[in-house]
């Protein structure tokens, strides 16, 4: 068995844009908000994907000097997972994590203005002390909202960084623009034409113009612009 902090390179997820036959081991992201398939460790992103460092030692130096931020907050953990929609800041440069049309994680350059927000999908909600409603977002955040009935699973919230204030509530429904995070149309944008709720153990289905997929593959983004993500033809 290997170390819990490492992963055999041959066993890395298909979403990681890395060669498999160079070394035996690769850094495993620390357990957190994103699944192993939907994120990469900060060490690998800085060194192997963006190419800002030549070794893990240089990555540690960058982090020690507080030059790296994730969603507007300084990070010091080389194993911190950077997942879908996360904003990575390295010095004056900003990147957003999206999926390409092969389902691979890409860290696209964005402007400083775009780095001030991110879109988070609502995965569920619960009632907490005082009768308030708390929504659970795809990146592990929990945000208290005023109107429980207005916020539904599948909707998204556009939040400011690093304040985490809600800028916009993007409702999922007919006509809403979404990014596909799974299926054969992964990494593209498309507008919803219909949504079917299954009254069984089968997953809910979402129809677009010319194709359909399950609800888990759909990420509501509305009018938000995403670097390198194009509308499905």
């Amino acid at each position: 068995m290997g170390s819990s902090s490492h992963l055999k390179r041959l066993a890395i997820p298909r979403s990681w844009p890395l060669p498999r036959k160079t070394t035996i081991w690769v850094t495993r992201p620390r357990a957190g908000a994103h699944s192993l398939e939907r994120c990469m460790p900060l060490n690998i992103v800085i060194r192997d994907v963006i190419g800002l460092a030549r070794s893990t030692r240089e990555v540690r130096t960058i982090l020690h000097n507080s030059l790296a931020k994730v969603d507007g907050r300084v990070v010091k953990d080389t194993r911190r997972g950077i997942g879908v929609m996360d904003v990575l800041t390295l010095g004056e440069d900003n990147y957003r994590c999206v999926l390409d049309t092969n389902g691979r994680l890409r860290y696209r350059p964005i402007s400083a203005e775009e780095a001030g927000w991110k879109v988070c999908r609502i995965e569920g909600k619960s009632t907490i002390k005082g009768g308030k409603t708390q929504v659970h977002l795809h990146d592990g955040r929990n945000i208290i909202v005023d109107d429980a009935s207005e916020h539904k699973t599948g909707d998204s919230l556009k939040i400011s960084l690093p304040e985490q204030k809600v800028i916009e509530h993007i409702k999922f429904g007919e006509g809403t623009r979404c990014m596909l995070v799974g299926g054969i149309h992964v990494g593209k944008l498309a507008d919803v034409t219909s949504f079917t709720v299954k009254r069984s153990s089968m997953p809910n289905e979402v129809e677009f113009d010319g194709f359909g997929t399950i609800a888990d593959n759909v990420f509501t983004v509305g009018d938000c612009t995403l670097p390198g993500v194009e509308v499905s033809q």
Side-chain angles (χ1 to χ4, degrees):
M1 293 180 63
S3 168
S4 61
S5 63
H6 290 80
L7 181 69
K8 280 199 171 182
R9 190 175 279 264
L10 287 174
I12 61 175
R14 292 179 179 272
S15 59
W16 291 24
L18 299 177
R20 294 176 181 267
K21 296 183 179 181
T22 53
T23 58
I24 296 176
W25 300 101
V26 68
T27 305
R28 177 193 292 270
R30 197 176 302 281
H34 300 284
S35 66
L36 183 65
E37 294 75 19
R38 292 286 173 84
C39 75
M40 292 180 65
L42 187 57
N43 176 38
I44 299 298
V45 174
I46 295 177
R47 187 189 66 193
D48 299 335
V49 179
I50 297 177
L52 195 61
R54 293 172 296 179
S55 64
T56 300
R57 180 188 292 270
E58 291 185 2
V59 173
R60 290 197 182 102
T61 300
I62 292 172
L63 302 188
H64 177 74
N65 291 322
S66 301
L67 296 175
K69 297 180 180 179
V70 176
D71 292 342
R73 299 182 185 274
V74 174
V75 291
K76 298 292 183 72
D77 185 4
T78 59
R79 291 177 57 203
R80 167 68 154 83
I82 313 297
V84 176
M85 291 295 179
D86 284 353
V87 175
L88 172 62
T89 301
L90 299 172
E92 298 297 324
D93 299 325
N94 301 288
Y95 305 87
R96 189 182 304 281
C97 179
V98 294
L99 292 167
D100 66 12
T101 53
N102 292 317
R104 298 199 171 192
L105 296 165
R106 300 295 180 182
Y107 299 84
R108 308 291 192 188
I110 58 175
S111 65
E113 181 181 355
E114 290 178 293
W117 57 264
K118 72 179 293 189
V119 181
C120 300
R121 183 173 66 182
I122 298 177
E123 301 291 345
K125 58 183 179 179
S126 58
T127 303
I128 60 175
K129 186 177 181 181
K132 297 180 179 180
T133 298
Q134 179 175 260
V135 294
H136 314 300
L137 306 181
H138 84 283
D139 62 352
R141 299 173 198 269
N142 296 308
I143 293 181
I144 297 175
V145 296
D146 296 325
D147 193 342
S149 61
E150 287 294 316
H151 294 78
K152 299 180 180 179
T153 300
D155 291 356
S156 290
L157 296 179
K158 181 179 180 181
I159 63 174
S160 63
L161 301 176
E163 301 84 5
Q164 303 187 85
K165 294 182 179 179
V166 178
I167 300 174
E168 181 185 0
H169 173 206
I170 308 170
K171 294 185 178 181
F172 172 75
E174 185 176 336
T176 304
R177 178 150 293 183
C178 300
M179 180 178 75
L180 282 304
V181 293
I184 62 174
H185 295 276
V186 63
K188 294 185 179 181
L189 296 173
D191 298 332
V192 177
T193 57
S194 66
F195 176 54
T196 304
V197 177
K198 298 289 186 177
R199 301 297 181 182
S200 66
S201 59
M202 298 293 290
N204 296 333
E205 295 181 358
V206 184
E207 292 292 331
F208 298 94
D209 187 16
F211 69 95
T213 187
I214 60 174
D216 287 346
N217 292 340
V218 177
F219 195 116
T220 306
V221 296
D223 296 328
C224 298
T225 57
L226 300 175
V229 183
E230 300 179 352
V231 178
S232 177
Q233 299 298 326

